[in-house]
Amino acid sequence: MTSKWMSIALEQAKEAGMREEVPVGAVLVRDGQVIAVAGNQTEELSDPTAHAEMQVIRKAAHILGTPRLGGDLYVTLEPCPMCATALSFARVERIFFGAFDPKGGGIDHGPRIFEQPTCHHRPQVFGGMSEQACAEVLTAFFKEKR
């Protein structure tokens, strides 16, 4: 079963894929309200940092007027090390991600950012939420590319 928040993230991922971006989507929710949504925009903006999570952080910080966001992030793919670090700096309380990313992930894989002694804020993490649906969006995108 997909939560309504992860459903929003999945829609953002699909929209990103239609724009020829790697289909990853994210949504930040605080107090039961959607604050910001985004999909990857690295190709569109020619910006290697324009991952869905980074775009949500930027939008939410602007909307809320603070760099400390709190709330819950729902994202379709395990955040990379860059995004995991930014989510820590943004003081996101909980991260719910869909597909695991053994090659590029930074939470359950790779450097495991939140386990590092230099990590100041460690959000709660829940991986594998709607994992199959999230993985299917990515698999279909890359299958079409090959």
Side-chain angles (χ1 to χ4, degrees):
M1 179 176 149
T2 301
S3 81
K4 69 179 179 177
W5 308 125
M6 188 59 84
S7 293
I8 294 170
L10 273 164
E11 282 305 311
Q12 290 296 310
K14 290 173 186 173
E15 288 177 22
M18 288 188 284
R19 297 189 313 269
E20 298 300 314
E21 299 282 354
V22 173
V24 177
V27 58
L28 184 79
V29 178
R30 207 166 98 168
D31 300 322
Q33 299 293 314
V34 171
I35 304 300
V37 300
N40 274 356
Q41 290 183 281
T42 57
E43 299 299 327
E44 179 182 345
L45 300 176
S46 298
D47 180 353
T49 70
H51 292 190
E53 302 95 324
M54 299 296 283
Q55 296 302 90
V56 162
I57 288 169
R58 290 176 181 128
K59 288 178 181 181
H62 178 75
I63 289 166
L64 297 171
T66 180
R68 288 164 292 286
L69 306 178
D72 300 334
L73 180 87
Y74 292 80
V75 61
T76 58
L77 182 65
E78 176 183 351
C80 72
M82 171 186 69
C83 292
T85 301
L87 291 164
S88 174
F89 289 158
R91 303 297 193 266
V92 171
E93 294 170 22
R94 285 172 294 280
I95 299 169
F96 300 87
F97 70 83
F100 290 85
D101 188 357
K103 262 178 109 172
I107 295 176
D108 277 5
H109 297 89
R112 301 176 184 262
I113 295 298
F114 303 139
E115 294 177 19
Q116 300 305 313
T118 55
C119 183
H120 296 290
H121 172 75
R122 293 172 176 82
Q124 291 180 300
V125 177
F126 305 91
M129 177 183 247
S130 305
E131 181 179 7
Q132 184 174 349
C134 294
E136 285 172 1
V137 171
L138 287 158
T139 301
F141 176 81
F142 287 112
K143 186 176 182 181
E144 187 177 300
K145 294 288 171 204
R146 292 184 179 115

